[in-house]
Amino acid sequence: MTPRHRTLRRPGCEIHYWTGGSGDGAPIVLTHGATLDHRTWEPQIEAFAARHRIVLWDVRGHGRSIPNRSAWSLRAAMDDLLAILDEEGVERAVLVGQSMGGNLSQEIVHHHPGRVSALVALGCAGNTLPLSRRERIQAAAVVRMLPWYPRGALIRQEARASARNPRVREYVRETAARMSRPDMVAVMASLVGALHPEPGYRIELPELLLRGEHDRLGNFRTSMPVWERRDPLACHLVVPDAAHLANQDNPDFFNGAVLRFLAEHGLDSPKGRHDDVES
C-alpha cells in the first residue's frame, strides 16, 4: 500500500504529508522525531493501514517540508498538524509520536484534548511531568551547548544512539544531513522548551508509553513509570532488542503492541472511533 502524497501551504513552509488506509478504526496520525521524516514509519504503514486511516507527515524543516522560511517552534509545528487534520476532515485521531513527535502530540493533548482519541508516545519525555533540579540544570546546559556543537559530530552521535540496526542508523544520518543548522538547533532546543511541569495535571485519555530496551537518550527509563502512575489510562511497555527508534529496530513488537492497545480501547472499530471523518 502506497500512501497518497499531499501538500498544504502554511506560514513560511509548504507541508508535505501522506494519507492512506481504509479500515474502520480510529484515524492514526504518525509524527516522526527530530531531524527525521515520515519514512520513520515505513515498517508501520501496512499493519496500521489495514485497520485504520493513516496520516504521515514531514514536520516543517524536515524531509520534504524543507525549506522552512520562518522561525521553527513546536507551537508552529503543532498548528501545522491541526491544519492537516482540518484539511482531511479528521475531528479526532490517535496521535502516535516518536521522540519530538511524542512531545508535539502531547502539546495537542494538553491544548486540544477534544481532537485526540488516544496517545502513543515512543521514546519521549513527559512534557508536563515534574523535573528534578538536576534535570533542569542538564536541560539548560543542552540549550546553551547546541549552537556551538559541531554539526557533523551531532549527526554521528544521533545516528549511533538512535538504533541498533545499521540500516536505520544510515537513514538517520542521511535525513539529519538534509536539515539546516538553524532548524536543527531550534528543533532540539524546543524539546527542552516543551517541558513545562503542570502539578495536578493528568491525561484522561488512553495512553501507550513505549521505550526501547537499549534507549539511553533522555530520562525515559525513570520518567515513563512515573507517567504511567500519574495517568489513569496509561500503560508503559519496554520494546525488547531496540534503541531510540524502537519502531524500526523491532517493528513486529511495536506494531503488535499498538494494535492490541487500540483494540483494548475499542479504537479499531467504528463503535470506538469517536471521530467525524469526511471521505
Side-chain angles (χ1 to χ4, degrees):
M1 175 254 169
T2 302
R4 180 181 176 185
H5 176 232
R6 301 173 184 266
T7 61
L8 182 65
R9 180 68 63 180
R10 295 285 297 157
C13 189
E14 183 175 60
I15 303 298
H16 291 251
Y17 69 99
W18 292 259
T19 63
S22 58
D24 292 327
I28 297 177
V29 178
L30 300 148
T31 305
H32 60 79
T35 79
L36 305 179
D37 66 8
H38 71 283
R39 292 175 295 164
T40 290
W41 304 108
E42 286 180 350
Q44 281 67 60
I45 291 173
E46 293 291 342
F48 291 0
R51 305 186 191 184
H52 300 264
R53 181 180 176 188
I54 62 171
V55 177
L56 312 90
W57 64 303
D58 284 352
V59 177
R60 63 170 56 228
H62 297 72
R64 293 182 66 175
S65 298
I66 295 173
N68 170 41
R69 297 182 176 87
S70 59
W72 201 97
S73 73
L74 195 64
R75 181 55 185 262
M78 180 185 79
D79 290 343
D80 292 337
L81 180 50
L82 291 170
I84 291 173
L85 296 182
D86 291 342
E87 181 72 13
E88 292 298 314
V90 176
E91 181 62 30
R92 300 184 72 184
V94 176
L95 301 185
V96 180
Q98 191 272 333
S99 196
M100 175 194 73
N103 297 118
L104 187 154
S105 298
Q106 288 177 70
E107 288 302 283
I108 293 182
V109 171
H110 187 255
H111 294 288
H112 305 278
R115 304 300 303 266
V116 186
S117 301
L119 173 68
V120 178
L122 170 62
C124 72
N127 293 8
T128 54
L129 292 178
L131 292 172
S132 68
R133 183 173 182 272
R134 180 180 180 182
E135 287 171 332
R136 290 195 299 271
I137 292 172
Q138 289 175 334
V142 168
V143 173
R144 289 195 302 269
M145 174 196 71
L146 278 173
W148 309 104
Y149 205 82
R151 183 169 182 270
L154 186 63
I155 292 173
R156 289 192 296 272
Q157 290 181 9
E158 179 188 2
R160 283 197 299 270
S162 289
R164 292 165 64 80
N165 187 321
R167 290 191 300 274
V168 179
R169 290 181 176 183
E170 181 55 35
Y171 157 71
V172 173
R173 283 191 291 268
E174 179 264 319
T175 309
R178 297 181 60 195
M179 284 191 73
S180 71
R181 183 179 180 85
D183 273 350
M184 185 179 291
V185 171
V187 166
M188 293 186 175
S190 76
L191 303 187
V192 175
L195 305 179
H196 53 98
E198 304 281 349
Y201 172 74
R202 297 197 309 176
I203 295 175
E204 304 286 348
L205 297 166
E207 295 175 278
L208 180 60
L209 316 174
L210 301 115
R211 65 172 178 84
E213 177 186 9
H214 303 287
D215 191 348
R216 299 294 181 262
L217 296 173
N219 64 347
F220 320 132
R221 184 180 298 272
T222 56
S223 67
M224 281 194 166
V226 174
W227 190 345
E228 179 184 38
R229 290 193 296 270
R230 185 195 68 175
D231 294 343
L233 298 177
C235 174
H236 171 223
L237 293 177
V238 177
V239 182
D241 302 318
H244 194 50
L245 279 164
N247 64 301
Q248 293 195 57
D249 270 343
N250 193 343
D252 290 342
F253 183 96
F254 179 86
N255 295 353
V258 172
L259 291 173
R260 283 193 300 273
F261 163 75
L262 296 178
E264 287 166 3
H265 289 281
L267 293 167
D268 64 342
S269 63
K271 183 178 179 180
R273 289 178 69 172
H274 306 303
D275 70 301
D276 181 15
V277 180
E278 299 174 3
S279 301

